Structure formats: C-alpha cells, structure tokens
Amino acid sequence: MFTTLKNRFEQGYRTCDYPNEKPAVFERYRGKPMIKKVVSPDLVKMCANACPQDAIDIEQEKIDMGRCVFCGTCERISKGEFVTFTRNFETATAGKQDLLTNGDLPALAEHSKQHFKKLFGRSLQLRQVSAGGCNACEADLNVLATPFFDLARFGINFVASPRHADGVVVTGPVSKNMKTALLQTYEAIADPKVVIAVGSCAITGGPFRGSPEITEGGLDSILPVDLFIPGCPPHPLTNLHALLTFFK
C-alpha cells in the first residue's frame, strides 16, 4: 500500500488529456495522407505502380486508406510532390467508401449513429476478436488500458465474453479458420450491437488481400460494419478518437 502511494507521489498524473488536448505524436508517424491539388499524371502512375497494396487510384488521384499500410513509398518516391503523410491521427470513418480520399474526410461525429450514443453513451463493452491478425493491431488496442490512455475513464471496456458485450472489435484479415468463430461471437452478442473493423487487414485484407485463405472483400462482406479504423496498425490515439467520437 505504501509502495503504491509512494509511486503515485513520485510519478504524478500520467494520463493524457485527450480529447481536451491532442498529444504530440513522434515525427516519423504517418497519419492522414494529403494529396497535392496539382500533380503530374505520370508521377501518380509511378507511385501507383510502386504501391505494394494497390492503394492508389490513378484516375481519381486518391489513396485508399483501407488498403494503405502507410509504408510511405509513395511519399518517398514522389518526394512529397504527390502525397505527404501528416501527423493527424484522426482518420476513422463510418463509411468504407470515405477511406478513398485525397485528404478530406467527413466529420466522424456528424456521421455517427446517434442511437448508439443514446444506447451506449455512458457504458460501452466490447469483445475483441483477432481473426488471423499479426498482433500489431491487437497490441495497440491493449495499450488503451494503460494509465496513459485509460480507456475505462470514458466508460469503455474490453470484456472476456461476447454475452457481456455491446459490440465486437475485429482485427486481422478474417482467415477461413477464424470465420466461424467470429460469426459465432457476433451471434452471441445481444441486439442492438456494433461492429468495428480495426486495421487494413480487417477492412480489406491488408497484405493478405487476394489470398485464398482469407475472407475476400474485408469484414464488411460478412458483417455489417459500423466503424472503420484504418492503419497498419492504427495508432492508439486513432482508436481512441474513433471510439469517443462515434459512440460518446
């Protein structure tokens, strides 16, 4: 007891003040991409050909954040003349189509489903399912429980049983071996319920897109997804922003 009090006195208050203030992210962080308004079509094509995820739409000159793994190849080879990645971590959307972007995203709060706010405004319990993930997205969800982010102060918690949950958070490309378990988890959650896709793997298959071992088309091809959180993995602050803006 005395050791705990001593540590608390020495360390002080460590929880971030988000959403009242935006914490600084490290300089190498790649957040929301911004496309230049005037760009050479040849440069766009060169970036598209180099993109390992086929995330660049040449005709529309946009980036699909649902496919993008934020590797920075397009920014590097175009030297920032086509796209630059900002340090803006607020990238979640309510519609998958909005992830195809030139840097403009609809305000998530305006597109949130207001009945969710009324139902879960004071308490939101989530069951997380890793449907074949590499553990990167899972790790950055787990870190929300640390004192710095302290997700529980907002009334949001991850629970062990789907029968105690209001919704499911899915990571990974939904491998064939996990599809049945995921569907059973979804069915075990009482209505009304929410579905959240976290990471490029859950949204489009990520680096595994096109593999015969995963569910083709992303999570929304088998479940009604309410919230899409892009990234590889999404920053913890991206997850926190999405949950607070959409449900609170």
Side-chain angles (χ1 to χ4, degrees), residues 96 215-225:
K96 190 176 183 179
T215 300
E216 185 177 357
L219 179 64
D220 62 316
S221 66
I222 59 172
L223 291 178
V225 178

Side-chain angles (χ1 to χ4, degrees), residues 44-244:
V44 177
K45 187 175 182 179
M46 181 174 66
C47 291
N49 291 335
C51 179
Q53 293 298 110
D54 294 327
I56 298 174
D57 187 306
I58 297 176
E59 294 184 0
Q60 299 187 62
E61 296 182 354
K62 293 182 177 181
I63 288 182
D64 187 346
M65 290 198 299
R67 293 185 181 182
C68 182
V69 293
F70 297 81
C71 65
T73 298
C74 53
E75 181 180 32
R76 184 171 62 255
I77 65 176
S78 70
K79 298 180 181 179
E81 294 301 316
F82 168 52
V83 59
T84 55
F85 287 90
T86 69
R87 291 203 287 271
N88 185 348
F89 53 79
E90 298 178 344
T91 56
T93 65
K96 190 176 183 179
Q97 70 280 357
D98 295 324
L99 293 173
L100 182 62
T101 180
N102 59 7
D104 294 327
L105 293 175
L108 184 59
E110 296 177 4
H111 290 77
S112 64
K113 299 182 179 180
Q114 296 301 316
H115 65 281
F116 285 158
K117 291 180 179 288
K118 293 178 182 178
L119 287 169
F120 310 129
R122 299 190 59 158
S123 175
L124 180 66
Q125 311 302 310
L126 299 170
R127 176 70 170 99
Q128 197 274 319
V129 175
S130 177
C134 70
N135 204 41
C137 291
E138 294 84 348
D140 278 355
L141 284 170
N142 288 342
V143 80
L144 292 177
T146 62
F148 182 77
F149 297 103
D150 193 13
L151 185 64
R153 65 190 158 125
F154 303 106
I156 305 175
N157 296 283
F158 289 97
V159 295
S161 171
R163 300 192 185 281
H164 300 160
D166 302 309
V168 60
V169 178
V170 183
T171 55
V174 191
S175 65
K176 288 184 175 179
N177 290 339
M178 279 299 299
K179 183 177 180 179
T180 299
L182 172 60
L183 293 176
Q184 289 176 343
T185 300
Y186 175 78
E187 291 298 327
I189 300 172
D191 292 324
K193 51 194 168 189
V194 298
V195 179
I196 305 170
V198 174
S200 61
C201 285
I203 297 172
T204 62
F208 307 99
R209 186 170 56 88
S211 169
E213 300 304 319
I214 69 168
T215 300
E216 185 177 357
L219 179 64
D220 62 316
S221 66
I222 59 172
L223 291 178
V225 178
D226 300 290
L227 181 61
F228 298 86
I229 308 179
C232 188
H235 194 282
L237 286 169
T238 304
N239 293 320
L240 186 57
H241 160 260
L243 293 173
L244 296 183

